[in-house]
Amino acid sequence: MKSSPHRPSIELLFKRGLGSAEIARRLQISSSTVRNVVAAIKKRGDASEVKKSGRPRSVNTRNTRAIIKKRIIRNDGLSLNRMASQLGIARSTVQSIVKNDLKLKSYKLRRGQYLSDKSKAMRLEKCRKLLQHFQVRRVSDVIWTDEKIFTIEPLPNRQNQRQLLSKDDSMSPKRRLAHNRLFPKSVMVWAGITATGKTPLVFIERNVKINSEVYQKIVLMDNLLPWVTQHFAGGPFILQQDWAPSHGSRSTLVVLEAHFPGFLDKNLWPASSPDLNPMDFSVWGMLEGKIAGKVFATVDDLKAALEVAWASIDDGYLRRTVNSVKKRLRACVKARGSNFEILL
């Protein structure tokens, strides 16, 4: 029963002989409140409130836990702060219930390639083929290649980047916002790695369309072939590439057969699989991290920074990254061709 501020008045009037209804009328309070106080007087001789023993009652009740669980089932990305505000309880209480009672843990949302059922089946089949292929050939002999666009704009860390500002500065949009140009200057970069080395970076200007002719001449013949000849010194190697139109045209296939025999063809390399290519799942991210937060006045400045970052990547990192491919292939098979990085 909640404590009533009218307890002394009720006790005084009751001891003067007034009934509960008359007391309620005079004090303009509910009859139930008067009856509860009168019952306490009759039981204990006065209207003083009995102090409760033990800890204060917690809001961590079965009902609260059920409400929180139901909301999480509906939306597992719901903010704990928002949930606490909606329920009118402390965030620490919500956090305690989520962690200790519901046994849930917060995980960063992963981004993954969308995969249809057909794509999953295709990936499953080709990952099995690749695992068999690498029982005969060495994964360390593969040249893993890819292209990526870099812009002169800084790449902020969207999750952890913070600013220490005075109260006045915090109101300035210039200080609080990371501005993006609509069409920033950029450059396409092609590169490749093996377990024992890395190709030169190949820069393809923005106004150059990467058709079959450009890919064959600038990438394959002018850059990759001389590097392969020197790096492998006549030893075996395997070229991996995605199957963009310029990579799989008839004229490109002729060049591949002549100069890069044993390349991973469409029967082996699965489409929609950046999570299997070290360039995609690791190297580009590392390169971005090395130049993150830097402002480049020109594309040439950006190129120079990329060259420095590329040169700093050591062979130990390359070896570890390439050696993880077979583990990823097995995880892809275990996931039946679906997104598998949660299994790693």
Side-chain angles (χ1 to χ4, degrees):
M1 179 182 68
K2 286 185 177 181
S3 175
S4 172
H6 299 287
R7 279 176 176 270
S9 300
I10 295 171
E11 182 177 6
L12 178 63
L13 294 174
F14 176 71
K15 288 183 177 180
R16 286 180 179 178
L18 274 65
S20 297
E22 179 62 17
I23 295 172
R25 186 186 67 77
R26 288 194 182 190
L27 298 178
Q28 295 184 343
I29 59 177
S30 68
S31 297
S32 60
T33 299
V34 175
R35 287 196 297 271
N36 288 334
V37 174
V38 168
I41 295 170
K42 291 179 178 180
K43 183 177 181 180
R44 300 191 301 273
D46 61 57
S48 61
E49 186 178 6
V50 178
K51 292 184 178 181
K52 297 179 180 179
S53 61
R55 296 172 60 189
R57 185 175 180 182
S58 171
V59 295
N60 184 354
T61 63
R62 179 183 297 179
N63 185 53
T64 304
R65 292 193 293 272
I67 292 172
I68 292 175
K69 182 177 181 180
K70 187 175 181 179
R71 293 191 179 194
I72 291 174
I73 290 173
R74 285 203 305 262
N75 178 12
D76 59 15
L78 188 61
S79 161
L80 296 189
N81 286 332
R82 184 177 179 184
M83 200 176 338
S85 176
Q86 291 172 344
L87 296 176
I89 61 179
R91 185 191 187 281
S92 58
T93 300
V94 176
Q95 188 174 17
S96 176
I97 290 173
V98 169
K99 180 180 178 181
N100 301 322
D101 297 297
L102 302 182
K103 307 298 182 185
L104 301 177
K105 185 178 179 181
S106 177
Y107 292 92
K108 185 178 178 182
L109 182 66
R110 290 180 177 269
R111 296 186 179 275
Q113 183 83 12
Y114 171 75
L115 297 168
S116 64
D117 290 340
K118 183 178 180 180
S119 296
K120 293 175 186 177
M122 176 272 297
R123 272 165 53 97
L124 175 60
E125 176 188 352
K126 293 185 178 180
C127 282
R128 284 172 170 166
K129 287 183 178 180
L130 284 168
L131 285 170
Q132 292 176 351
H133 187 73
F134 289 134
Q135 288 180 352
V136 179
R137 301 295 302 272
R138 297 187 305 178
V139 71
S140 58
D141 289 337
V142 179
I143 310 166
W144 307 93
T145 69
D146 196 34
E147 303 94 4
K148 182 175 178 60
I149 294 176
F150 288 85
T151 71
I152 64 172
E153 290 191 338
L155 297 167
N157 184 325
R158 298 182 185 277
Q159 180 173 342
N160 296 319
Q161 187 168 3
R162 299 289 187 268
Q163 289 178 296
L164 296 175
L165 305 172
S166 68
K167 186 176 181 180
D168 292 337
D169 284 339
S170 68
M171 303 303 293
S172 168
K174 182 178 180 180
R175 297 296 303 277
R176 300 288 292 177
L177 300 177
H179 295 281
N180 292 322
R181 296 183 181 90
L182 186 58
F183 299 107
K185 293 180 180 179
S186 62
V187 64
M188 172 76 79
V189 182
W190 176 94
I193 66 165
T194 72
T196 56
K198 51 189 182 289
T199 71
L201 294 182
V202 179
F203 298 109
I204 301 170
E205 300 305 324
R206 182 174 177 174
N207 60 346
V208 176
K209 182 179 179 181
I210 306 181
N211 55 25
S212 297
E213 182 181 355
V214 169
Y215 181 67
Q216 292 164 29
K217 182 180 187 308
I218 297 179
V219 174
L220 297 180
M221 301 305 295
D222 291 352
N223 285 279
L224 182 57
L225 186 58
W227 181 84
V228 164
T229 302
Q230 180 182 15
H231 185 78
F232 289 98
F237 64 87
I238 306 167
L239 174 62
Q240 178 277 333
Q241 59 172 12
D242 63 31
W243 289 101
S246 61
H247 299 183
S249 67
R250 290 183 180 179
S251 59
T252 299
L253 290 176
V254 171
V255 174
L256 293 175
E257 292 286 1
H259 301 285
F260 306 93
F263 61 92
L264 299 180
D265 60 22
K266 291 183 179 181
N267 292 322
L268 276 176
W269 187 252
S272 304
S273 298
D275 50 2
L276 296 174
N277 183 349
M279 292 297 301
D280 270 307
F281 69 70
S282 184
V283 177
W284 289 135
M286 169 176 273
L287 210 57
E288 283 185 330
K290 288 179 177 291
I291 65 170
K294 297 178 181 178
V295 180
F296 303 104
T298 67
V299 171
D300 286 339
D301 292 339
L302 171 61
K303 291 179 182 179
L306 287 170
E307 291 280 17
V308 171
W310 186 245
S312 71
I313 297 177
D314 61 84
D315 289 349
Y317 163 78
L318 296 176
R319 184 172 57 256
R320 292 190 301 273
T321 304
V322 170
N323 287 344
S324 70
V325 170
K326 291 176 75 172
K327 180 180 179 181
R328 286 174 169 264
L329 290 171
R330 287 191 289 268
C332 187
V333 171
K334 185 176 180 180
R336 308 294 297 175
S338 187
N339 300 108
F340 59 80
E341 290 188 306
I342 193 174
L343 301 176
L344 298 176

